[in-house]
Amino acid sequence: MYATQAEAIQNSIFHKLIEHSSATEWGRKYTYTQIKKYADFQHVPIQTYEDAKGYIDRMRHGEKDVLCPGKVIWYAKSSGTTNDKSKFIPVSPEGLKNIHYRGGIDAVALYLRENPESRFFSGKGLILGGSHSPNYNVKDSLVGDLSAILIQNINPLVNLIRVPSKEIALLSEFEEKVERIAETTIHKNVTNLSGVPSWMLAVIKRILEKTGAKHLNEVWPNLEVFFHGGVCFTPYREQYKQLIPSDKMHYMETYNASEGFFGLQSDLHDPAMTLMIDYDVFYEFIPMDELDSPKPNVVPLWGIEVGKNYAMLISTSCGLWRYMLGDTVRFTQKDPYKFIISGRTKHFINAFGEELMVDNAEKAGTCLPGNRSASAGIFGRSGIHGRKCQMPSPMAHRVQCDAGFHRKIPSHTGYSLTGNQFRLRSQTAQGHHPPGAGNHRSPSGTFPRLAETERKTGRPA
């Protein structure tokens, strides 16, 4: 059906979402009961987070039936794109089930389809997640990393095939979490990993330190797949191959964000991801050359053109309506619809009528002598992938070295690597510190120790 009935599937999702939210405050305001077809939806305004923030804040204070039916008690916290403020994305029960968990299930299903000889379920999966904390004073309401929300609400049966325990997985101090994961999983039969490449690397290296092993497959001989997301895997791929030199090891990219689960790498030999069109997400797209137009020509999925850059809009069962995600995508094919993430809307350049996406600029940078990546400036003040994150200098240098960059980039340069090279969208690295990263301010924290080690030895810590 993905290959032949995309329009019918998306239309079905559209009508489901409209009917589901017709009695909400938002649905009454924009007369959802009178929306019978996609063209009727055009009067609903395009939203950014700043536009939706007032509604979401009321929901966080306990109001119900605002943007989606009922009361939402879970909010995924991700970095904001203005003034370094965080965004709080509502995660409704319907969205949790029909978007986020559907993505996880499909990731495993697609992997097994590609690898019928897999022994995936012969062992356990190591899932590296974040943490959560109370939301205002609302009873039972919490905010936190999306991964923490998923782990907190996961089916108890899944806990039988995953590590670490929920208690460890939800620890807020990242150093303690890494240490306890290493302690409790070394002797387990781990067959699969899930998480952000940069932070999973910290876990792997600690495990190798504790065991004295040179390669991870010496510790977990049945390890076969890493489901990764949050950042582009390309800068990390070689280091993972060195740490896991196994012919049976596979890597599968996912496009999951606080706002939803949108894409999966259905073919491990094709970097483009398949758009997941049968979740509770209705997609629309704005051609990038019309982004600044007061009345842009917004098109549904079946109206896109292959090879053209678009800003992506989503409407979901979590209460996001015509919400501008901030990512730009370019479709590589239809039937089924496959795409790559080409950058961020704020980094689109139109000079003298010539479109230039960030990923094209980065590709040009690969020709520079000494560059192993598309851009030399990774951790400047502008952040990663357009996110105004505040990654401390020692940590930036450590991640830079982990990614395989030889040349140290001074933190004062102001350069940043944006677009598809470093995409921080989800899990524990959504453009902000991992849990516990704030300890770089304390005298005994990790980052001061790294800086001191680097100063004494003259080598990267």
Side-chain angles (χ1 to χ4, degrees):
M1 292 182 66
Y2 263 67
T4 59
Q5 301 180 41
E7 182 175 350
I9 292 172
Q10 275 284 278
N11 264 314
S12 175
I13 296 296
F14 170 74
H15 289 293
K16 173 186 174 183
L17 295 176
I18 294 297
E19 181 180 355
H20 181 65
S21 296
S22 60
T24 64
E25 178 182 327
W26 182 268
R28 293 193 303 271
K29 181 177 181 179
Y30 292 103
T31 59
Y32 274 22
T33 54
Q34 297 180 28
I35 295 177
K36 305 302 180 184
K37 56 185 183 298
Y38 171 65
D40 300 333
F41 193 51
Q42 299 295 312
H43 73 284
V44 178
I46 294 171
Q47 300 284 296
T48 65
Y49 181 76
E50 293 302 316
D51 298 321
K53 183 179 177 180
Y55 291 98
I56 293 174
D57 200 55
R58 288 169 49 201
M59 294 168 66
R60 289 184 62 204
H61 278 89
E63 289 192 43
K64 61 181 181 179
D65 300 324
V66 179
L67 293 175
C68 61
K71 181 178 177 180
V72 177
I73 63 172
W74 287 99
Y75 295 87
K77 182 179 180 181
S78 66
S79 68
T81 55
T82 58
N83 301 321
D84 290 330
K85 294 179 180 178
S86 293
K87 297 190 297 182
F88 298 90
I89 306 300
V91 181
S92 67
E94 294 79 13
L96 197 63
K97 177 183 176 182
N98 298 326
I99 301 176
H100 296 291
Y101 284 143
R102 283 282 302 276
I105 293 170
D106 282 352
V108 174
L110 287 171
Y111 170 72
L112 295 177
R113 186 193 70 178
E114 290 287 299
N115 298 276
E117 303 300 318
S118 169
R119 297 293 306 277
F120 185 92
F121 291 111
S122 67
K124 296 181 181 293
L126 194 164
I127 301 177
L128 181 58
S131 61
H132 53 60
S133 58
N135 169 50
Y136 292 133
N137 294 317
V138 180
K139 183 181 179 181
D140 300 323
S141 184
L142 296 171
V143 299
D145 297 302
L146 174 65
S147 55
I149 294 174
L150 299 178
I151 292 172
Q152 180 69 41
N153 292 281
I154 203 166
N155 188 309
L157 293 177
V158 178
N159 288 321
L160 299 176
I161 57 172
R162 58 165 289 275
V163 290
S165 67
K166 186 180 291 188
E167 173 194 2
I168 295 174
L170 297 177
L171 285 171
S172 59
E173 291 298 325
F174 189 67
E175 281 184 85
E176 180 184 0
K177 180 181 296 190
V178 170
E179 187 65 27
R180 294 190 64 183
I181 288 175
E183 289 174 355
T184 58
T185 61
I186 284 174
H187 302 294
K188 302 293 185 181
N189 177 26
V190 174
T191 62
N192 59 96
L193 309 173
S194 300
V196 178
S198 51
W199 310 134
M200 186 63 74
L201 209 54
V203 173
I204 292 173
K205 289 186 174 181
R206 184 61 187 136
I207 287 172
L208 295 179
E209 288 172 1
K210 290 180 74 69
T211 61
K214 184 177 181 181
H215 303 126
L216 191 61
N217 44 308
E218 296 173 34
V219 182
W220 297 325
N222 296 317
L223 182 65
E224 60 176 82
V225 62
F226 178 24
F227 299 99
H228 57 86
V231 301
C232 178
F233 191 58
T234 302
Y236 297 93
R237 188 176 297 278
E238 279 305 313
Q239 189 162 7
Y240 270 86
K241 285 184 177 180
Q242 292 172 14
L243 296 175
I244 315 172
S246 171
D247 292 338
K248 67 178 183 180
M249 187 65 187
H250 302 93
Y251 300 91
M252 185 172 184
E253 184 171 8
T254 65
Y255 180 20
N256 53 336
S258 299
E259 296 87 348
F261 200 116
F262 310 120
L264 282 170
Q265 190 179 2
S266 55
D267 180 351
L268 300 184
H269 302 290
D270 182 358
M273 288 180 281
T274 299
L275 190 70
M276 310 313 288
I277 59 176
D278 60 347
Y279 299 174
D280 277 1
V281 182
F282 179 73
Y283 299 97
E284 297 176 273
F285 303 89
I286 302 177
M288 289 307 299
D289 57 1
E290 297 189 36
L291 188 62
D292 294 327
S293 169
K295 292 185 178 180
N297 178 34
V298 183
V299 297
L301 177 62
W302 55 91
I304 64 96
E305 298 177 25
V306 172
K308 193 171 183 176
N309 288 299
Y310 294 94
M312 188 159 76
L313 307 180
I314 57 170
S315 297
T316 77
S317 56
C318 292
L320 301 178
W321 296 106
R322 308 196 83 189
Y323 181 88
M324 187 176 293
L325 195 58
D327 286 332
T328 63
V329 298
R330 182 170 65 249
F331 285 88
T332 61
Q333 68 170 67
K334 297 183 180 181
D335 306 323
Y337 286 82
K338 300 183 76 170
F339 68 98
I340 63 170
I341 299 174
S342 53
R344 296 283 293 171
T345 53
K346 65 184 296 183
H347 293 112
F348 174 79
I349 303 169
N350 193 336
F352 305 104
E354 294 294 328
E355 296 182 9
L356 176 63
M357 293 303 298
V358 169
D359 66 328
N360 292 332
E362 290 171 348
K363 288 173 184 175
T366 59
C367 300
L368 296 176
N371 270 4
R372 291 190 60 194
S373 177
S375 175
I378 304 174
F379 297 100
R381 287 188 293 268
S382 297
I384 305 172
H385 191 59
R387 300 283 171 177
K388 293 187 176 181
C389 60
Q390 296 176 334
M391 185 174 286
S393 177
M395 181 61 173
H397 183 72
R398 185 171 76 174
V399 175
Q400 180 180 340
C401 294
D402 284 344
F405 296 95
H406 292 312
R407 295 162 58 186
K408 183 173 180 179
I409 309 303
S411 61
H412 65 270
T413 60
Y415 291 119
S416 63
L417 180 60
T418 55
N420 200 34
Q421 296 298 319
F422 270 81
R423 187 176 67 258
L424 293 189
R425 295 292 305 156
S426 62
Q427 306 289 333
T428 58
Q430 298 179 36
H432 60 293
H433 294 155
N439 65 8
H440 71 280
R441 297 182 178 89
S442 68
S444 60
T446 296
F447 303 129
R449 291 201 302 269
L450 287 170
E452 180 65 15
T453 300
E454 183 174 333
R455 185 185 66 79
K456 290 179 178 179
T457 64
R459 298 194 303 271

